[in-house]
Amino acid sequence: MEMSITAQEFLMTAILGDTQGLSNSLTMASTYRVLADMTDAGVDRPTLEEARRQASKMPEVIFRYKAELIKRSEFYIDNKLAIVTIPQNEINDFSPLYNPAPLIQNDLLQTAGVGISIVLKSYDDGHITAAIRGNPGNAICDKLADHFGGGGHKLAAGFKVQDGRSLQEIKTECIDTTTQLLG
């Protein structure tokens, strides 16, 4: 079945996002073949990259908020685990401009020694969500999310807890479970 160039552009964008720009263990030889076929069909990867960069630009207020998230970053397990928490008021204030999880998550993974990053969002109604990302060699995101009833794959996963446990309880359980999974 033939795909339109537009469909192939969306597919290439999804593949590049899911494989962190072809840099993680989800990338296989077949991934390169698929991208080569799309390039041969007329998909312009440099144009897609420029569009991604433009879409990722942030207003100054978000840039300053990112600095606050960096200051609040916590490191555990000899810096193998990085956690940032985001309360409801910040979700309300900043999410319409830029999702806080991807704003900080890749920077956490770029910190020396960090293998797993978790962004916990705490909502006023008591539920807590988590975005979990991992660096190659630390492919446990799916198992950590599964522990909390969530899902995903080895390098990107998430979960939602609605059982009344506190943010601190969830954070402690994330630290303990990550310690076990990495051990």
Side-chain angles (χ1 to χ4, degrees):
M1 176 171 100
E2 294 220 6
M3 276 194 280
S4 70
I5 293 296
T6 301
Q8 290 182 66
E9 288 171 345
F10 285 122
L11 182 57
M12 184 180 281
T13 300
I15 290 169
L16 292 170
D18 208 34
T19 62
Q20 296 171 311
L22 304 177
S23 68
N24 68 33
S25 61
L26 297 174
T27 306
M28 301 176 195
S30 60
T31 310
Y32 290 101
R33 284 189 208 81
V34 168
L35 293 181
D37 290 345
M38 287 190 263
T39 301
D40 286 344
V43 176
D44 183 359
R45 181 169 176 192
T47 298
L48 292 180
E49 178 60 20
E50 183 55 30
R52 183 195 65 78
R53 288 177 192 220
Q54 288 302 315
S56 296
K57 291 202 178 205
M58 62 186 85
E60 179 186 344
V61 67
I62 294 298
F63 179 78
R64 295 190 184 289
Y65 175 56
K66 182 175 186 170
E68 291 302 315
L69 292 175
I70 290 169
K71 288 179 191 173
R72 289 204 323 251
S73 299
E74 301 173 66
F75 298 89
Y76 301 95
I77 318 170
D78 296 324
N79 287 350
K80 292 178 184 147
L81 172 63
I83 298 177
V84 172
T85 59
I86 313 236
Q88 177 80 61
N89 65 307
E90 292 176 11
I91 295 165
N92 295 346
D93 292 345
F94 298 110
S95 287
L97 299 172
Y98 207 107
N99 184 344
L103 180 65
I104 188 66
Q105 203 135 39
N106 287 334
D107 292 304
L108 294 172
L109 290 173
Q110 286 297 106
T111 305
V114 173
I116 300 293
S117 69
I118 303 173
V119 176
L120 294 169
K121 291 182 180 177
S122 175
Y123 295 82
D124 290 343
D125 68 1
H127 83 272
I128 297 164
T129 63
I132 310 164
R133 299 295 179 269
N135 278 323
N138 299 275
I140 62 160
C141 298
D142 56 341
K143 292 177 180 136
L144 180 58
D146 184 60
H147 174 83
F148 290 95
H153 60 73
K154 293 188 278 186
L155 295 172
F159 65 82
K160 181 178 186 177
V161 174
Q162 302 180 92
D163 61 12
R165 285 182 280 170
S166 71
L167 177 62
Q168 187 56 54
E169 288 173 296
I170 298 299
K171 189 189 312 183
T172 299
E173 196 168 337
C174 282
I175 296 164
D176 293 345
T177 304
T178 300
T179 300
Q180 291 170 7
L181 290 170
L182 289 176

